[in-house]
Amino acid sequence: TDIHLGQWINKEKRDGVVKIINNQQPDSVMITGDFLSYQTSNYLHELSDSLSNIKSCDGTFSVLGNHDYWTNAGDVKKALKKAGIVNLENDVYAIEKNNQKLQIAGVDSITVDMDDIGKVQRKLDYNYAAIMLAHEPDFSDTTAKYDPFILQLSGHSHGGQIEIPKIGTPVRGKNFMKYPLGEYKVGNMIQYTNRGIGTNAFWFKINSFNEITKIKLKCT
């Protein structure tokens, strides 16, 4: 999540991220927005080139973040499509195996009022589990109201970019006040907020390391 191309993430760092992902031999890869910061034209071809090298058995899925909409969401969507990534715009995608189904849902950025949980809800199959991709973590209070969801994956906060031992992250903002970092239990669902790859506003992190999260799902 939160690559924020156009700042300090260069080609070498992007290729390194993709290599780490591929070394995990993932079934699926989830990317939860803010591919860009404030510019588009100089970086969108780089975005497609890097992300097209991700190897996942069952697909790579994404949602957009607020910065993607503040730049040019249409061009970001084109770049993702070119890279073979399924961008979920208030939509649901089903992975089916052995007569079972896992649903991957995604809402557009809450910060810019592009989310539509009603549209997602109408597409859900309540007989099977679902994972929600939402750029903003505090949206999990809404997601947890719907029974199929076992997990929400988010970014947006960058982990606060600063972590203080025994205190946590003092930097919180809109839509990441409640769930700024790591794992939380929200109702019957798990919320996981990833620290992200890039930064924004101030270009450094203190005790808050870049993160790629590996999650293993188990049947119960």
Side-chain angles (χ1 to χ4, degrees):
T1 192
D2 294 275
I3 299 171
H4 281 286
L5 284 178
Q7 298 191 2
W8 66 280
I9 297 294
N10 58 26
K11 184 179 186 302
E12 182 181 5
K13 291 183 174 68
R14 290 195 310 273
D15 290 345
V17 167
V18 171
K19 183 177 180 180
I20 292 171
I21 291 170
N22 289 342
N23 284 344
Q24 308 308 308
Q25 298 181 318
D27 291 312
S28 298
V29 174
M30 314 294 172
I31 311 175
T32 55
D34 276 4
F35 296 92
L36 299 173
S37 286
Y38 300 103
Q39 304 177 60
T40 58
S41 58
N42 294 332
Y43 301 103
L44 283 175
H45 69 282
E46 298 178 1
L47 178 66
S48 289
D49 289 347
S50 295
L51 298 182
S52 64
N53 292 319
I54 294 176
K55 296 179 174 61
S56 54
C57 299
D58 298 318
T60 299
F61 304 89
S62 70
V63 290
L64 299 193
N66 49 297
H67 277 271
D68 301 317
Y69 277 98
W70 289 342
T71 51
N72 190 325
D75 284 349
V76 175
K77 292 173 188 178
K78 290 177 183 176
L80 294 173
K81 184 176 181 179
K82 183 179 178 182
I85 293 172
V86 178
N87 187 60
L88 295 165
E89 303 175 57
N90 300 308
D91 206 352
V92 179
Y93 182 99
I95 298 173
E96 299 188 44
K97 292 183 178 181
N98 302 320
N99 296 318
Q100 296 294 317
K101 181 161 56 177
L102 175 64
Q103 301 172 99
I104 312 298
V107 289
D108 268 340
S109 175
I110 294 92
T111 302
V112 295
D113 297 320
M114 294 300 292
D115 58 296
D116 188 343
I117 188 64
K119 187 176 180 181
V120 171
Q121 185 269 335
R122 290 189 292 272
K123 295 184 177 183
L124 281 175
D125 185 337
Y126 274 66
N127 294 309
Y128 297 97
I131 296 172
M132 174 65 87
L133 308 185
H135 179 65
E136 294 89 341
D138 289 0
F139 190 74
S140 60
D141 285 340
T142 297
T143 302
K145 295 176 182 178
Y146 298 89
D147 290 340
F149 288 107
I150 59 172
L151 174 67
Q152 177 175 301
L153 302 175
S154 304
H156 187 52
S157 68
H158 311 160
Q161 294 189 192
I162 298 172
E163 291 182 50
I164 300 175
K166 297 183 180 181
I167 295 177
T169 173
V171 179
R172 302 190 184 200
K174 185 177 181 180
N175 296 315
F176 65 96
M177 291 295 295
K178 295 180 68 175
Y179 311 112
L181 173 64
E183 182 178 330
Y184 304 88
K185 188 71 180 296
V186 184
N188 294 320
M189 183 190 78
I190 297 295
Q191 161 63 34
Y192 192 87
T193 307
N194 184 296
R195 291 179 179 89
I197 301 299
T199 58
N200 190 47
F202 47 98
W203 293 11
F204 62 85
K205 294 183 178 181
I206 299 175
N207 294 327
S208 181
F209 302 101
N210 294 343
E211 178 178 0
I212 299 167
T213 311
K214 181 178 179 179
I215 296 174
K216 181 177 287 187
L217 302 179
K218 296 181 179 180
C219 293
T220 57

